[in-house]
Amino acid sequence: MRNIKLIIEYDGTNYSGWQKQPHQTTIQKTIEDSITKITKEKIEIYGSGRTDKGVHAKGQVANFFTGSKIPAERFREAINSVLPKDIVISHSEEVDESFHSRYSAKGKEYRYIIYNRRISSPLLRNYAYHVPQKLHFDYMKKAVNDFVGTNDFVAFMASGSSVKDTIRTIHNISLEKDKEIIQLKINGDGFLYNMVRIILGTLVDIGIGKIDRDAIPQIILSKDRQKAGHTAPPQGLYLERVYY
Amino acid sequence: MRNIKLIIEYDGTNYSGWQKQPHQTTIQKTIEDSITKITKEKIEIYGSGRTDKGVHAKGQVANFFTGSKIPAERFREAINSVLPKDIVISHSEEVDESFHSRYSAKGKEYRYIIYNRRISSPLLRNYAYHVPQKLHFDYMKKAVNDFVGTNDFVAFMASGSSVKDTIRTIHNISLEKDKEIIQLKINGDGFLYNMVRIILGTLVDIGIGKIDRDAIPQIILSKDRQKAGHTAPPQGLYLERVYY
């Protein structure tokens, strides 16, 4: 069996997230069905991680095993020819059989987009988080640096997650503003469930003055989800890249 | 009767264009129905011009007459509260009864977005024109200047239009490239039917080498639609602003 690695872009708007679930249209299932149409095999793909309903990706990674003799780089166009237009394979290649999209991953980069104007944007309604309040961008910009480093980020994990090891390293984080658009880029060795969305929600709460701009270190130390801010909505979130 | 002017943003993806038509969901009809819900009057709105199916707007303008006593600036939030999320009123004000969105307009600005990469983008599928071929951006950049000025642009008008006076003035036109995104901004006293999309299609044909990079002046002089390039698709086009 050959192991094929895919890089995948998708618009998450019309899907119930990545992961297969009964009676739901998910990205994983849609891609598996498309590959089956080509190879006539039952296919299981392994993603680098789940994305929630409404979350987008520019660089999701998945791999699958196949007995097909189709050249690896041809899988891209073959799968795209049967996929719906809101999912696109941007790259396919054959990798070592030991490669696993999730367990081999060394890190990830996410982007989050805020649309900060009093009135919502019809064009960005599915692609950004609309924050109508005035934001102290300088407070947010300063606070992001307090996330960098190796920490127990359990205060920034959605309750209900069963993960035991909640220590993660954030390598880089940046926040840029261009008129009404604020963009967060965050890069780390891994992220807890909803971690990026809770970090973003906390930054927005700092921007509107609901959370003190110097509070991040104490929130991390508290290990208390209640101390962190709200969970920002999914449609502003983009999985940009997975590192191996 | 009071004359109320609206500035409107919309995502044109799910509409059969601006103009009312039987058995079609259009932007004009959707806004009229929303205003009727608020004022309980039969409402007709006058737009600055039609936009085709799939075309977007950030600054469409329309006006309507009403006997309602709602303060003019309150119409914005009142109408937004009943509109679907893909249409948003960004501004409302009372204007002189002689104001007409179409006949009072002094000019318009459009933007057009090209996505130039071999592989299509799921996130931009409804918001940009995917051009997979390599483009000579320098040829296109130089050619745009040949559109500036007062000319008979009948070669850049879709056939079937009944307009008699086909002389228009283009004040400004610019083309910028940022990685895979090419953006055209064009500003003029008025535009013929499909004129921006045919200008853009002609520029793309220049970029791929199908039309000579110096050909624009001759195409204008020819007054022959066949000499100009293809009509670029609607989803890359945005009505940015109407000037009064």
Side-chain angles (χ1 to χ4, degrees), chain B residues 126-154:
Chain B
N126 296 322
Y127 305 104
Y129 173 19
H130 175 227
V131 177
Q133 297 99 325
K134 279 210 175 166
L135 291 173
H136 285 282
F137 179 71
D138 50 331
Y139 294 3
M140 298 166 70
K141 178 98 179 165
K142 200 175 158 289
V144 291
N145 300 312
D146 292 334
F147 286 105
V148 177
T150 302
N151 287 296
D152 185 340
F153 282 105
V154 69

Side-chain angles (χ1 to χ4, degrees), chain A residues 2-233:
Chain A
R2 297 154 69 214
N3 189 6
I4 307 292
K5 175 187 171 190
L6 305 174
I7 303 178
I8 308 158
E9 301 189 14
Y10 48 82
D11 178 337
T13 306
N14 298 319
Y15 294 90
S16 301
W18 170 266
Q19 173 124 337
K20 252 188 297 192
Q21 294 172 65
H23 316 299
Q24 303 279 346
T25 304
T26 69
I27 294 150
Q28 181 185 14
K29 182 74 164 61
T30 303
I31 298 172
E32 286 176 354
D33 290 349
S34 297
I35 301 173
T36 293
K37 277 188 194 156
I38 291 158
T39 67
K40 316 293 178 200
E41 302 160 307
K42 184 169 169 10
I43 291 286
E44 172 131 27
I45 64 171
Y46 306 98
S48 75
R50 310 176 190 183
T51 54
D52 285 337
K53 182 176 162 63
V55 171
H56 313 293
K58 291 192 153 185
Q60 171 68 291
V61 173
N63 67 296
F64 66 96
F65 291 89
T66 178
S68 157
K69 298 213 161 33
I70 298 172
E73 63 281 5
R74 297 289 300 278
F75 268 109
R76 177 179 61 73
E77 35 186 324
I79 304 171
N80 284 341
S81 72
V82 287
L83 276 174
K85 284 191 168 179
D86 50 6
I87 306 178
V88 170
I89 311 296
S90 63
H91 182 80
S92 61
E93 64 175 309
E94 187 164 349
V95 286
D96 189 86
E97 64 173 17
S98 67
F99 176 87
H100 187 290
S101 298
R102 182 165 164 209
Y103 302 121
S104 308
K106 292 210 163 50
K108 281 182 182 170
E109 182 173 302
Y110 283 94
R111 193 156 56 109
Y112 196 101
I113 301 180
I114 294 171
Y115 183 70
N116 184 34
R117 188 180 67 160
R118 198 174 146 210
I119 298 154
S120 67
S121 163
L123 286 156
L124 294 176
R125 71 194 188 287
N126 296 322
Y127 305 104
Y129 174 19
H130 174 227
V131 178
Q133 298 99 325
K134 279 211 173 163
L135 291 173
H136 284 282
F137 179 71
D138 49 331
Y139 294 2
M140 298 165 70
K141 178 98 178 165
K142 201 175 157 288
V144 290
N145 300 311
D146 293 334
F147 287 105
V148 177
T150 302
N151 287 294
D152 184 339
F153 281 105
V154 68
F156 295 87
M157 180 175 78
S159 59
S161 175
S162 61
V163 172
K164 293 283 181 298
D165 177 10
T166 51
I167 293 171
R168 296 290 184 276
T169 300
I170 293 179
H171 300 303
N172 284 295
I173 181 165
S174 70
L175 198 71
E176 301 299 336
K177 186 175 158 71
D178 182 13
K179 292 175 195 156
E180 295 146 340
I181 300 286
I182 296 174
Q183 288 204 48
L184 177 88
K185 270 195 186 174
I186 187 166
N187 187 304
D189 67 350
F191 292 89
L192 303 169
Y193 186 54
N194 275 357
M195 181 168 152
V196 180
R197 289 166 56 188
I198 299 171
I199 286 175
L200 199 286
T202 305
L203 287 170
V204 168
D205 285 340
I206 287 172
I208 61 179
K210 208 173 149 190
I211 291 182
D212 193 275
R213 55 185 145 154
D214 299 318
I216 302 297
Q218 293 121 275
I219 296 172
I220 293 173
L221 283 174
S222 77
K223 301 184 185 177
D224 179 0
R225 170 70 189 87
Q226 301 301 317
K227 294 278 193 294
H230 68 283
T231 305

